[in-house]
Protein backbone atom coordinates (compact mmCIF):
# COMPACT_ATOMS: atom_id res chain seq x y z
CA UNK A 1 0.00 0.00 0.00
CA UNK A 2 1.33 3.42 -0.85
CA UNK A 3 2.19 5.89 1.89
CA UNK A 4 0.54 8.86 0.21
CA UNK A 5 -3.06 9.90 -0.22
CA UNK A 6 -5.09 8.61 -3.15
CA UNK A 7 -8.43 9.74 -4.48
CA UNK A 8 -10.18 6.81 -2.82
CA UNK A 9 -8.00 6.18 0.23
CA UNK A 10 -7.33 8.38 3.21
CA UNK A 11 -3.99 9.48 4.59
CA UNK A 12 -3.40 9.54 8.33
CA UNK A 13 -1.87 12.78 9.61
CA UNK A 14 -0.35 12.57 13.08
CA UNK A 15 -1.45 15.14 15.62
CA UNK A 16 -4.60 16.06 13.73
CA UNK A 17 -7.94 15.70 15.38
CA UNK A 18 -11.27 16.47 13.79
CA UNK A 19 -13.87 17.64 16.25
CA UNK A 20 -17.52 18.51 15.80
CA UNK A 21 -19.33 21.01 17.97
CA UNK A 22 -22.99 21.05 18.59
CA UNK A 23 -24.41 24.27 19.99
CA UNK A 24 -27.82 23.62 21.41
CA UNK A 25 -29.80 26.63 22.49
CA UNK A 26 -32.07 25.65 25.31
CA UNK A 27 -35.46 27.35 25.18
CA UNK A 28 -39.03 26.36 25.81
CA UNK A 29 -38.69 23.37 23.48
CA UNK A 30 -35.13 22.66 24.58
CA UNK A 31 -35.79 19.14 25.78
CA UNK A 32 -37.05 18.10 22.36
CA UNK A 33 -33.97 19.61 20.71
CA UNK A 34 -31.58 17.78 23.03
CA UNK A 35 -33.47 14.52 22.49
CA UNK A 36 -33.18 14.89 18.72
CA UNK A 37 -29.43 15.53 18.98
CA UNK A 38 -28.90 12.50 21.22
CA UNK A 39 -30.87 10.29 18.84
CA UNK A 40 -28.74 11.50 15.92
CA UNK A 41 -25.51 10.81 17.81
CA UNK A 42 -26.73 7.33 18.75
CA UNK A 43 -27.59 6.43 15.16
CA UNK A 44 -24.30 7.75 13.79
CA UNK A 45 -22.25 5.85 16.38
CA UNK A 46 -24.12 2.58 16.12
CA UNK A 47 -21.80 -0.41 15.51
CA UNK A 48 -24.12 -1.53 12.72
CA UNK A 49 -22.94 1.43 10.64
CA UNK A 50 -19.25 0.60 11.11
CA UNK A 51 -17.22 -1.02 8.35
CA UNK A 52 -15.90 -4.56 8.79
CA UNK A 53 -18.49 -5.33 11.47
CA UNK A 54 -20.45 -8.16 9.82
CA UNK A 55 -18.30 -11.10 10.89
CA UNK A 56 -18.50 -12.51 14.44
CA UNK A 57 -14.93 -13.81 14.28
CA UNK A 58 -13.35 -10.39 13.69
CA UNK A 59 -11.26 -9.17 16.64
CA UNK A 60 -11.38 -5.42 17.17
CA UNK A 61 -8.01 -4.09 18.24
CA UNK A 62 -7.32 -0.82 20.04
CA UNK A 63 -4.63 0.93 22.06
CA UNK A 64 -5.20 -1.39 25.02
CA UNK A 65 -5.14 -4.82 23.39
CA UNK A 66 -3.15 -4.40 20.17
CA UNK A 67 0.41 -5.11 21.31
CA UNK A 68 -0.64 -7.88 23.68
CA UNK A 69 -2.66 -9.61 20.97
CA UNK A 70 -0.23 -9.29 18.09
CA UNK A 71 3.27 -9.17 19.53
CA UNK A 72 3.08 -11.17 22.77
CA UNK A 73 1.84 -14.15 20.76
CA UNK A 74 4.81 -13.95 18.41
CA UNK A 75 7.09 -15.07 21.23
CA UNK A 76 5.53 -18.53 20.80
CA UNK A 77 7.57 -19.07 17.65
CA UNK A 78 6.15 -21.44 15.05
CA UNK A 79 3.14 -22.10 17.28
CA UNK A 80 2.15 -18.44 17.27
CA UNK A 81 -1.24 -17.69 15.72
CA UNK A 82 -1.26 -15.95 12.36
CA UNK A 83 -2.95 -12.55 12.20
CA UNK A 84 -4.28 -10.58 9.25
CA UNK A 85 -4.98 -7.02 10.40
CA UNK A 86 -6.92 -4.37 8.50
CA UNK A 87 -6.18 -0.74 9.34
CA UNK A 88 -9.23 1.24 8.26
CA UNK A 89 -11.37 4.32 8.75
CA UNK A 90 -15.17 4.27 8.70
CA UNK A 91 -15.34 7.38 6.51
CA UNK A 92 -12.85 6.06 3.92
CA UNK A 93 -14.41 5.26 0.48
CA UNK A 94 -11.62 2.81 -0.40
CA UNK A 95 -12.17 0.92 2.87
CA UNK A 96 -15.84 0.59 1.99
CA UNK A 97 -15.04 -0.58 -1.53
CA UNK A 98 -12.91 -3.55 -0.40
CA UNK A 99 -15.08 -4.62 2.54
CA UNK A 100 -17.14 -7.30 0.78
CA UNK A 101 -14.16 -8.78 -1.06
CA UNK A 102 -12.06 -8.83 2.10
CA UNK A 103 -14.88 -10.50 4.05
CA UNK A 104 -15.05 -13.24 1.41
CA UNK A 105 -11.31 -13.88 1.71
CA UNK A 106 -11.47 -13.75 5.51
CA UNK A 107 -14.26 -16.33 5.52
CA UNK A 108 -11.99 -18.81 3.75
CA UNK A 109 -8.91 -18.06 5.85
CA UNK A 110 -10.87 -18.62 9.05
CA UNK A 111 -12.60 -21.72 7.66
CA UNK A 112 -9.21 -23.24 6.85
CA UNK A 113 -7.82 -22.26 10.25
CA UNK A 114 -5.09 -20.31 8.47
CA UNK A 115 -5.34 -16.96 10.24
CA UNK A 116 -7.11 -14.76 12.76
CA UNK A 117 -8.62 -11.50 11.54
CA UNK A 118 -8.04 -8.19 13.36
CA UNK A 119 -9.63 -4.82 12.64
CA UNK A 120 -8.13 -1.46 13.68
CA UNK A 121 -9.96 1.84 13.32
CA UNK A 122 -6.77 3.80 12.67
CA UNK A 123 -8.40 7.18 13.25
CA UNK A 124 -10.18 6.35 16.50
CA UNK A 125 -7.18 4.35 17.76
CA UNK A 126 -4.04 5.91 16.22
CA UNK A 127 -1.56 4.11 18.53
CA UNK A 128 -1.59 0.75 16.66
CA UNK A 129 -1.26 2.60 13.36
CA UNK A 130 1.71 4.54 14.74
CA UNK A 131 3.40 1.33 15.94
CA UNK A 132 3.21 -0.09 12.41
CA UNK A 133 3.99 3.25 10.71
CA UNK A 134 0.69 3.11 8.84
CA UNK A 135 0.25 6.26 6.78
CA UNK A 136 -2.64 5.26 4.58
CA UNK A 137 -5.93 3.41 4.90
CA UNK A 138 -6.93 0.83 4.02
CA UNK A 139 -3.75 -1.09 4.80
CA UNK A 140 -3.75 -4.85 5.33
CA UNK A 141 -0.82 -6.40 7.19
CA UNK A 142 0.09 -10.02 7.80
CA UNK A 143 1.73 -10.96 11.11
CA UNK A 144 3.52 -14.28 11.57
CA UNK A 145 6.82 -15.62 12.80
CA UNK A 146 9.52 -14.62 12.64
CA UNK A 147 8.26 -11.06 13.04
CA UNK A 148 10.83 -9.83 10.51
CA UNK A 149 8.62 -11.45 7.86
CA UNK A 150 5.56 -9.36 8.74
CA UNK A 151 4.36 -7.80 5.50
CA UNK A 152 1.88 -5.29 4.10
CA UNK A 153 -0.33 -6.58 1.30
CA UNK A 154 0.64 -4.55 -1.79
CA UNK A 155 -2.93 -4.23 -3.13
CA UNK A 156 -4.66 -3.21 0.09
CA UNK A 157 -6.89 -0.66 -1.63
CA UNK A 158 -7.19 -0.32 -5.40
CA UNK A 159 -7.45 -3.64 -7.20
CA UNK A 160 -8.09 -5.78 -4.11
CA UNK A 161 -9.33 -9.24 -5.15
CA UNK A 162 -10.21 -11.99 -2.69
CA UNK A 163 -8.60 -14.97 -4.56
CA UNK A 164 -5.32 -13.13 -5.08
CA UNK A 165 -5.22 -12.01 -1.44
CA UNK A 166 -6.00 -15.53 -0.20
CA UNK A 167 -3.19 -16.96 -2.30
CA UNK A 168 -0.80 -14.27 -1.08
CA UNK A 169 -1.50 -15.04 2.59
CA UNK A 170 -1.18 -18.80 2.22
CA UNK A 171 2.08 -18.43 0.31
CA UNK A 172 3.56 -16.61 3.31
CA UNK A 173 3.12 -19.56 5.68
CA UNK A 174 6.16 -21.78 4.97
CA UNK A 175 6.28 -25.20 6.56
CA UNK A 176 2.80 -24.91 8.01
CA UNK A 177 0.36 -27.76 7.62
CA UNK A 178 -3.17 -26.42 7.95
CA UNK A 179 -5.23 -28.70 10.17
CA UNK A 180 -8.20 -29.82 8.12
CA UNK A 181 -11.56 -30.76 9.58
CA UNK A 182 -15.04 -31.27 8.09
CA UNK A 183 -15.72 -27.57 8.63
CA UNK A 184 -12.79 -26.31 6.56
CA UNK A 185 -11.85 -29.20 4.26
CA UNK A 186 -13.97 -28.14 1.29
CA UNK A 187 -12.64 -24.57 1.45
CA UNK A 188 -9.06 -25.85 1.37
CA UNK A 189 -9.71 -28.46 -1.31
CA UNK A 190 -11.44 -25.96 -3.61
CA UNK A 191 -8.56 -23.50 -3.50
CA UNK A 192 -7.08 -22.92 -6.97
CA UNK A 193 -3.45 -23.25 -5.86
CA UNK A 194 -1.67 -26.64 -6.14
CA UNK A 195 -2.11 -28.43 -2.82
CA UNK A 196 -1.15 -31.57 -0.95
CA UNK A 197 -3.47 -33.26 1.54
CA UNK A 198 -1.93 -35.63 4.07
CA UNK A 199 -3.97 -38.15 6.06
CA UNK A 200 -2.00 -39.07 9.16
CA UNK A 201 -2.60 -40.44 12.64
CA UNK A 202 -2.36 -37.86 15.47
CA UNK A 203 -1.21 -35.06 13.14
CA UNK A 204 2.17 -36.79 12.65
CA UNK A 205 4.29 -35.34 9.82
CA UNK A 206 7.51 -37.02 8.73
CA UNK A 207 10.72 -35.08 8.41
CA UNK A 208 10.72 -35.52 4.65
CA UNK A 209 7.26 -34.03 4.21
CA UNK A 210 8.05 -31.18 6.58
CA UNK A 211 11.12 -30.54 4.47
CA UNK A 212 9.05 -30.70 1.28
CA UNK A 213 6.60 -28.12 2.60
CA UNK A 214 9.48 -25.76 3.30
CA UNK A 215 11.12 -26.32 -0.09
CA UNK A 216 7.85 -25.69 -1.93
CA UNK A 217 7.09 -22.38 -0.24
CA UNK A 218 5.13 -20.15 -2.59
CA UNK A 219 4.33 -23.01 -4.97
CA UNK A 220 1.65 -25.00 -3.17
CA UNK A 221 -0.31 -25.40 0.04
CA UNK A 222 -0.22 -28.24 2.56
CA UNK A 223 -3.06 -29.58 4.67
CA UNK A 224 -3.28 -32.47 7.12
CA UNK A 225 -6.25 -34.58 8.26
CA UNK A 226 -6.05 -36.36 11.62
CA UNK A 227 -7.20 -39.73 10.34
CA UNK A 228 -7.74 -41.39 13.73
CA UNK A 229 -10.31 -38.81 14.81
CA UNK A 230 -13.97 -39.79 14.55
CA UNK A 231 -14.68 -36.29 13.23
CA UNK A 232 -12.55 -37.02 10.17
CA UNK A 233 -14.71 -39.94 9.00
CA UNK A 234 -16.67 -37.83 6.44
CA UNK A 235 -13.40 -36.66 4.87
CA UNK A 236 -11.96 -40.18 4.76
CA UNK A 237 -15.10 -41.41 3.01
CA UNK A 238 -15.13 -38.49 0.58
CA UNK A 239 -11.53 -39.17 -0.44
CA UNK A 240 -11.88 -42.98 -0.36
CA UNK A 241 -9.07 -43.33 2.19
CA UNK A 242 -8.99 -46.79 3.77
CA UNK A 243 -5.34 -46.94 4.86
CA UNK A 244 -3.11 -44.24 6.32
CA UNK A 245 -0.80 -42.50 5.98
CA UNK A 246 -1.98 -41.27 2.58
CA UNK A 247 -0.85 -38.28 0.54
CA UNK A 248 -2.94 -36.67 -2.22
CA UNK A 249 -2.04 -33.98 -4.73
CA UNK A 250 -4.49 -31.62 -6.44
CA UNK A 251 -3.05 -29.49 -9.22
CA UNK A 252 -3.64 -25.89 -10.23
CA UNK A 253 -7.40 -25.25 -10.67
CA UNK A 254 -8.03 -28.93 -9.94
CA UNK A 255 -10.93 -30.38 -7.95
CA UNK A 256 -11.29 -33.30 -5.54
CA UNK A 257 -12.10 -35.49 -8.55
CA UNK A 258 -8.60 -34.75 -9.86
CA UNK A 259 -6.85 -35.73 -6.63
CA UNK A 260 -3.86 -38.02 -7.23
CA UNK A 261 -2.73 -40.48 -4.56
CA UNK A 262 0.95 -41.14 -3.90
CA UNK A 263 1.17 -44.92 -4.43
CA UNK A 264 2.80 -47.10 -1.83
CA UNK A 265 3.57 -44.31 0.63
CA UNK A 266 3.98 -46.81 3.48
CA UNK A 267 6.39 -49.00 1.54
CA UNK A 268 8.55 -46.14 0.25
CA UNK A 269 11.98 -46.61 1.80
CA UNK A 270 13.83 -43.70 0.23
CA UNK A 271 13.01 -40.07 0.97
CA UNK A 272 14.45 -39.15 -2.43
CA UNK A 273 11.69 -41.15 -4.16
CA UNK A 274 8.98 -39.27 -2.27
CA UNK A 275 10.63 -35.93 -2.98
CA UNK A 276 10.81 -36.80 -6.66
CA UNK A 277 7.09 -37.62 -6.78
CA UNK A 278 6.21 -34.34 -5.04
CA UNK A 279 8.49 -32.31 -7.27
CA UNK A 280 7.17 -33.78 -10.52
CA UNK A 281 3.57 -33.04 -9.54
CA UNK A 282 4.38 -29.39 -8.87
CA UNK A 283 6.39 -29.04 -12.10
CA UNK A 284 3.57 -30.61 -14.13
CA UNK A 285 0.93 -28.41 -12.50
CA UNK A 286 2.85 -25.15 -12.71
CA UNK A 287 4.30 -25.77 -16.17
CA UNK A 288 7.77 -24.67 -15.13
CA UNK A 289 10.96 -26.25 -13.90
CA UNK A 290 11.97 -26.00 -10.24
CA UNK A 291 15.08 -26.99 -8.32
CA UNK A 292 15.21 -30.63 -7.20
CA UNK A 293 13.82 -31.09 -3.70
CA UNK A 294 16.41 -32.41 -1.29
CA UNK A 295 15.40 -33.97 2.03
CA UNK A 296 16.93 -32.30 5.07
CA UNK A 297 16.26 -35.18 7.44
CA UNK A 298 17.93 -38.62 7.57
CA UNK A 299 16.42 -41.27 5.31
CA UNK A 300 13.68 -43.23 6.96
CA UNK A 301 10.78 -45.53 6.21
CA UNK A 302 7.51 -44.05 5.00
CA UNK A 303 5.96 -41.73 7.54
CA UNK A 304 8.08 -42.52 10.56
CA UNK A 305 8.79 -39.44 12.65
Amino acid sequence: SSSHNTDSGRGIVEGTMVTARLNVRVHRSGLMTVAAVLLCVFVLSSPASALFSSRPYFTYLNKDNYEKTIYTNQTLGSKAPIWVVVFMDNSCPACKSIENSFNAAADQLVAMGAANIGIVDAVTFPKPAAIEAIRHVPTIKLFHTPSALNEVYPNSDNGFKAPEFLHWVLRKLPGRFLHLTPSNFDAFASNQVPRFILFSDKWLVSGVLRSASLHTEGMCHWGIVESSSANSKPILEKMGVVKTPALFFIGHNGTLEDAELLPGIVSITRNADMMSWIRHRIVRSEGKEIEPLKPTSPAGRGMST
Side-chain angles (χ1 to χ4, degrees):
S1 180
S2 59
S3 59
H4 57 275
N5 293 359
T6 66
D7 292 338
S8 57
R10 287 195 55 176
I12 300 176
V13 181
E14 295 185 24
T16 300
M17 180 179 293
V18 179
T19 61
R21 297 182 179 179
L22 294 175
N23 295 318
V24 180
R25 183 177 180 180
V26 179
H27 46 78
R28 296 179 66 178
S29 59
L31 290 177
M32 294 181 62
T33 303
V34 172
V37 170
L38 290 175
L39 178 61
C40 180
V41 171
F42 174 78
V43 171
L44 290 176
S45 62
S46 171
S49 65
L51 298 181
F52 301 96
S53 61
S54 63
R55 296 297 191 271
Y57 54 77
F58 284 174
T59 298
Y60 298 93
L61 303 170
N62 54 49
K63 62 182 180 64
D64 297 319
N65 66 1
Y66 181 80
E67 290 183 89
K68 179 179 180 180
T69 301
I70 301 301
Y71 285 103
T72 301
N73 284 330
Q74 290 198 326
T75 62
L76 298 176
S78 62
K79 295 182 179 180
I82 304 299
W83 281 92
V84 170
V85 179
V86 181
F87 294 85
M88 47 74 72
D89 172 23
N90 280 311
S91 62
C92 166
C95 299
K96 176 64 176 176
S97 70
I98 73 167
E99 181 180 18
N100 290 337
S101 294
F102 177 82
N103 288 348
D107 287 342
Q108 292 199 55
L109 287 174
V110 172
M112 288 187 283
N116 301 291
I117 310 298
I119 307 295
V120 176
D121 185 330
V123 174
T124 303
F125 304 108
K127 182 180 177 180
I131 292 173
E132 305 302 336
I134 303 298
R135 294 294 180 267
H136 181 266
V137 292
T139 291
I140 303 172
K141 191 166 185 178
L142 172 68
F143 295 87
H144 60 107
T145 54
S147 60
L149 298 178
N150 294 342
E151 292 185 56
V152 170
Y153 182 56
N155 297 319
S156 293
D157 45 17
N158 297 325
F160 181 92
K161 296 180 180 178
E164 294 176 1
F165 174 69
L166 183 66
H167 185 196
W168 181 83
V169 172
L170 294 177
R171 286 180 59 187
K172 302 297 180 179
L173 309 181
R176 286 182 180 265
F177 279 74
L178 299 178
H179 286 195
L180 303 179
T181 65
S183 64
N184 64 22
F185 181 80
D186 287 340
F188 179 85
S190 62
N191 193 1
Q192 296 180 346
V193 177
R195 51 225 177 271
F196 290 91
I197 302 175
L198 172 66
F199 290 81
S200 178
D201 185 25
K202 299 180 181 178
W203 307 113
L204 295 180
V205 178
S206 70
V208 63
L209 288 183
R210 185 75 66 184
S211 176
S213 70
L214 290 168
H215 281 298
T216 57
E217 176 186 2
M219 290 179 265
C220 60
H221 303 158
W222 291 80
I224 182 171
V225 178
E226 205 274 281
S227 56
S228 60
S229 170
N231 293 332
S232 299
K233 184 177 180 180
I235 304 178
L236 295 170
E237 293 176 348
K238 179 179 293 187
M239 298 297 294
V241 175
V242 295
K243 183 181 295 185
T244 60
L247 180 66
F248 288 86
F249 174 75
I250 304 176
H252 185 74
N253 289 327
T255 65
L256 284 177
E257 287 71 27
D258 304 313
E260 185 177 359
L261 175 66
L262 169 62
I265 184 173
V266 177
S267 61
I268 289 179
T269 59
R270 295 200 322 147
N271 285 345
D273 293 339
M274 189 180 300
M275 283 290 199
S276 177
W277 186 88
I278 292 171
R279 174 177 174 270
H280 284 138
R281 267 65 199 168
I282 297 175
V283 170
R284 185 183 64 189
S285 177
E286 293 293 275
K288 59 185 179 182
E289 188 67 18
I290 61 174
E291 291 294 322
L293 305 179
K294 298 179 181 179
T296 57
S297 58
R301 290 188 59 84
M303 289 296 299
S304 61
T305 56

